[in-house]
Amino acid sequence: MSQWKNPFIGTSGGWHLYHYSFKSQYTTRSSTGLAKPAPPQLIDEVGVASNIAVHQPNNRKRRIFPKVDHSKDIVINDLRATLEAHRATNRASVIRKVGTEDPFTGSRFKRLSSLSPVEEPSDQSLPDNSDAVSPQESHEHVASIKPDHVVWQREQAPQAAGRGRVNVAVQDYEGKAPAPGHYWEIRHSYTKRRGFYSGGRQRPWLSHLENYAGDGLQRLQDEIGAFESYMNLTTAETLAVQELLEDIRHISFDTLPSNPIYVHGSRSTGLAGPLSDIDFSLSLPEFEKDPLARGPSATRPEAVRAGMRMLVALRGALEQHQHFRAIEIIGARLPLLSAVDRRTGLKFQIQALAPTLPAKEYTLYYLTEFPTLRPLFILLRSALQMRGLTRTITGGMGSYSLLMMIVTALKHSMGIFPRRDLSSQLLHVLNFYASADLYKNGYSVDPPRTFPKVGKSLSAEEKEARAHDPYLSGIDVLPKLSRKQPWLLCLQDPANPVNDLGSKAHQIKHIQAFFKEAGHRIRMRMREWENLDIRERKGWGKAVLDSLVQANYDTFEAGRRRLVKKVPPKEATH
């Protein structure tokens, strides 16, 4: 065996450097004097041999850069030209161009990442030399790469100013319609006495139905109204919530007499369910301003620190009462205090300077404009909540965003359906988002507008003309297209035209798939209902809304019973 030396590369300490063109039969001697075989030829992700490899006695490998000669970059009497040539040489030594020319053979090859998964590389796509990898071997090598290391195939998206590439693999991403989970899941049990049965009360809203006449649309309308009646708070539940609100107000006033708290969210708009959370906004008069006035933001550091001090004081006051548990301060853009009432099991949150007034005003306005909005919202919110699609922390759709989604669909159908046609409007909302092209289009609530996510650049005159319309100028400011998640819903907030309500809803594709499947199954149940006579309808044992809200209501009913335990019977009857 002959000792191998390469005068063009050389050695450095315990490192032994090899050029790719030397075969494995050459050996080298380490600092210990033992012969070691040269490393095998390295093939990178595009099937081209690596220019330089490095070998250590412990068999570790890493890539290094060759020494760069800057003697040719010196331009006498011109310092600027010398610096530019020096920078160009440095950039050329670290940037590897893929998809142009093989640096070793001079032949051209096709970039592997531009091939489709079923396209075989052609013979011209590889270097024409004896050491090159064959097309079949190259394809097998790529197929053997672990999925975690696969570089996604890319293509150019519709070009726009400042926009880059969009991943083609995510454009093929399809959501899945989930079934009810957690304590809503319908569990099938077996006992010797009862045999197989599905545990749980699955259709409690049917107890509010008495009409068995009418076609499928009428049956769907009756069930939507019955579900709203089932989810409405009873008198006892309302009294229990009011008593809890008074307790929290008294504790807050005793601790912070100059900082009153106000109820906001669904409890202040009439959209709350029996077990909905209670949201409070803590007032800080020294940092507040008129909602329409210009001035410092409520999220500036001074206001956030002041709000945090108030929340810490309230936390100490709540900890002194035995009626509350799970008391914690959650850090966020605007920190909030969270706790749970032991008596009712209701969770409440207190946030300092919560910007909720514009959103509340728009919510009340739309509830007046659309009489069907409340039952549709309660139905769809319950359906998504059963499937874990309303938790914003996991990419779900929040209550306010869901409400604006429904309003957007209704405004795009104004004049098509009667104002109180619940069944037709529900089917329209489901179909509107099931068929929406979220890759290309964004939506504005008021005025109803569909705009492209990627459009042509505007001239200075057009920008000046749009600047007078806050909603058009807001559309221009919105980051409409996400490079990593182009499927996200872009929904302009009517209360804040530069706010995108769907930017954090990463589960929108699952919501789309669920809406599509639910709409299909509802239509099937409607046709099945129409084929039954009156006697068969009374003993049908199914519901048109099964695809939306059929679930296990045992835990939900237990929570409602716990809520009214603290209310005296006499007060509950009023």
Side-chain angles (χ1 to χ4, degrees):
M1 305 294 287
S2 61
Q3 183 178 2
W4 172 71
K5 289 185 178 181
N6 187 349
F8 300 101
I9 301 180
T11 62
S12 175
W15 297 88
H16 300 270
L17 311 180
Y18 299 91
H19 194 270
Y20 89 100
S21 60
F22 288 84
K23 304 300 180 181
S24 60
Q25 65 264 24
Y26 292 100
T27 60
T28 182
R29 295 186 180 275
S30 64
S31 59
T32 59
L34 300 178
K36 291 199 175 283
Q41 184 179 6
L42 299 179
I43 304 298
D44 63 7
E45 66 272 13
V46 294
V48 180
S50 300
N51 187 5
I52 296 176
V54 64
H55 181 64
Q56 260 189 320
N58 59 1
N59 292 330
R60 290 187 303 173
K61 297 179 181 180
R62 67 183 180 94
R63 186 168 299 178
I64 66 173
F65 299 106
K67 185 177 180 180
V68 180
D69 183 14
H70 291 287
S71 59
K72 65 180 186 302
D73 301 333
I74 300 176
V75 180
I76 301 176
N77 299 329
D78 195 341
L79 178 59
R80 184 184 300 275
T82 301
L83 292 176
E84 291 297 333
H86 183 83
R87 296 189 185 105
T89 303
N90 286 339
R91 287 194 296 267
S93 63
V94 298
I95 298 176
R96 179 168 62 95
K97 296 182 179 180
V98 179
T100 56
E101 184 176 273
D102 186 349
F104 310 125
T105 64
S107 59
R108 301 185 64 83
F109 59 90
K110 188 175 182 180
R111 184 176 180 179
L112 186 62
S113 60
S114 65
L115 300 177
S116 64
V118 297
E119 181 182 354
E120 291 289 339
S122 61
D123 294 337
Q124 293 80 9
S125 64
L126 292 172
D128 186 13
N129 66 328
S130 58
D131 296 333
V133 183
S134 65
Q136 182 178 0
E137 293 172 346
S138 176
H139 192 71
E140 293 174 354
H141 170 70
V142 176
S144 64
I145 298 177
K146 294 182 180 180
D148 294 340
H149 300 139
V150 172
V151 179
W152 289 108
Q153 177 185 347
R154 294 176 177 269
E155 73 174 11
Q156 189 69 22
Q159 200 62 33
R163 300 299 177 186
R165 293 165 144 338
V166 175
N167 201 321
V168 175
V170 298
Q171 289 215 13
D172 297 333
Y173 165 67
E174 293 293 338
K176 295 182 179 179
H182 198 41
Y183 58 80
W184 297 99
E185 181 181 359
I186 300 176
R187 295 178 175 88
H188 297 273
S189 305
Y190 175 79
T191 59
K192 292 183 179 180
R193 178 181 177 183
R194 302 179 62 180
F196 283 101
Y197 72 99
S198 296
R201 188 182 181 192
Q202 301 178 20
R203 302 178 182 90
W205 69 91
L206 293 182
S207 60
H208 296 262
L209 275 177
E210 296 180 358
N211 182 25
Y212 296 96
D215 57 2
L217 286 174
Q218 183 62 43
R219 177 65 178 184
L220 177 59
Q221 174 128 347
D222 293 341
E223 287 196 19
I224 297 174
F227 187 84
E228 181 190 15
S229 300
Y230 168 72
M231 296 298 293
N232 286 337
L233 275 73
T234 63
T235 304
E237 293 170 345
T238 303
L239 291 174
V241 174
Q242 289 178 352
E243 184 176 346
L244 176 59
L245 294 178
E246 292 299 324
D247 292 344
I248 298 175
R249 286 195 181 101
H250 286 312
I251 295 174
S252 176
F253 180 78
D254 294 340
T255 307
L256 304 170
S258 301
N259 304 92
I261 59 175
Y262 304 97
V263 179
H264 69 87
S266 59
R267 292 287 181 180
S268 64
T269 58
L271 296 175
L275 305 182
S276 296
D277 297 347
I278 304 175
D279 298 317
F280 292 94
S281 177
L282 178 63
S283 175
L284 300 178
E286 62 272 22
F287 294 99
E288 292 180 349
K289 61 183 180 63
D290 187 86
L292 300 179
R294 299 181 60 86
S297 171
T299 59
R300 63 190 186 275
E302 297 84 0
V304 173
R305 286 194 293 267
M308 179 64 75
R309 290 194 297 268
M310 302 299 177
L311 295 181
V312 171
L314 280 177
R315 181 182 62 182
L318 292 175
E319 289 174 347
Q320 297 178 0
H321 291 74
Q322 61 180 357
H323 298 312
F324 306 106
R325 63 176 180 87
I327 306 171
E328 60 178 347
I329 295 179
I330 303 175
R333 178 170 169 265
L334 286 175
L336 56 88
L337 173 63
S338 176
V340 177
D341 180 45
R342 296 180 184 272
R343 298 161 295 180
T344 61
L346 293 180
K347 182 179 179 180
F348 63 91
Q349 300 172 345
I350 304 176
Q351 191 174 32
L353 289 176
T356 58
L357 182 58
K360 178 180 178 180
E361 291 179 349
Y362 273 94
T363 299
L364 295 176
Y365 171 76
Y366 291 136
L367 287 173
T368 304
E369 182 179 3
F370 298 101
T372 58
L373 180 57
R374 185 179 186 274
L376 292 177
F377 172 77
I378 292 177
L379 175 65
L380 293 179
R381 180 187 61 183
S382 301
L384 295 180
Q385 186 178 18
M386 294 173 184
R387 291 156 177 83
L389 297 176
T390 57
R391 298 184 60 192
T392 56
I393 194 173
T394 59
M397 190 65 64
S399 296
Y400 177 70
S401 300
L402 176 61
L403 185 74
M404 293 301 111
M405 285 178 62
I406 300 174
V407 172
T408 301
L410 295 180
K411 279 187 169 291
H412 279 76
S413 65
M414 291 186 66
I416 301 178
F417 308 109
R419 294 184 71 247
R420 300 186 180 275
D421 190 353
L422 275 171
S423 53
S424 298
Q425 292 183 13
L426 172 64
L427 296 175
H428 168 71
V429 172
L430 296 177
N431 182 69
F432 183 86
Y433 290 103
S435 59
D437 190 350
L438 302 183
Y439 292 98
K440 296 181 180 180
N441 299 325
Y443 301 94
S444 179
V445 181
D446 198 358
R449 182 184 288 113
T450 301
F451 53 86
K453 283 188 173 182
V454 178
K456 63 178 182 178
S457 301
L458 299 177
S459 62
E461 293 77 9
E462 292 175 328
K463 291 182 179 179
E464 184 179 358
R466 295 166 68 94
H468 300 286
D469 188 333
Y471 294 98
L472 288 177
S473 59
I475 291 174
D476 298 336
V477 175
L478 286 177
K480 298 177 282 295
L481 181 63
S482 171
R483 297 183 183 183
K484 294 183 179 180
Q485 296 174 316
W487 65 80
L488 291 180
L489 171 66
C490 182
L491 182 62
Q492 188 182 37
D493 184 0
N496 183 6
V498 297
N499 181 34
D500 183 3
L501 296 175
S503 60
K504 302 296 180 61
H506 307 300
Q507 300 190 50
I508 185 62
K509 295 292 286 185
H510 301 306
I511 296 176
Q512 266 194 309
F514 169 59
F515 281 0
K516 182 178 181 180
E517 179 179 328
H520 174 69
R521 293 189 176 184
I522 287 175
R523 289 181 173 86
M524 291 180 58
R525 286 292 173 89
M526 289 167 56
R527 290 192 293 267
E528 184 177 350
W529 170 264
E530 292 173 350
N531 294 329
L532 300 176
D533 56 26
I534 296 296
R535 181 180 301 177
E536 293 173 335
R537 290 179 178 182
K538 292 183 179 180
W540 190 28
K542 299 179 183 179
V544 180
L545 292 179
D546 277 351
S547 59
L548 285 177
V549 288
Q550 181 188 10
N552 185 354
Y553 287 81
D554 285 352
T555 305
F556 181 75
E557 290 286 346
R560 298 187 73 167
R561 290 193 296 269
R562 177 185 178 183
L563 179 63
V564 300
K565 275 185 178 180
K566 58 176 294 185
V567 181
K570 294 182 179 179
E571 295 184 6
T573 57
H574 290 296

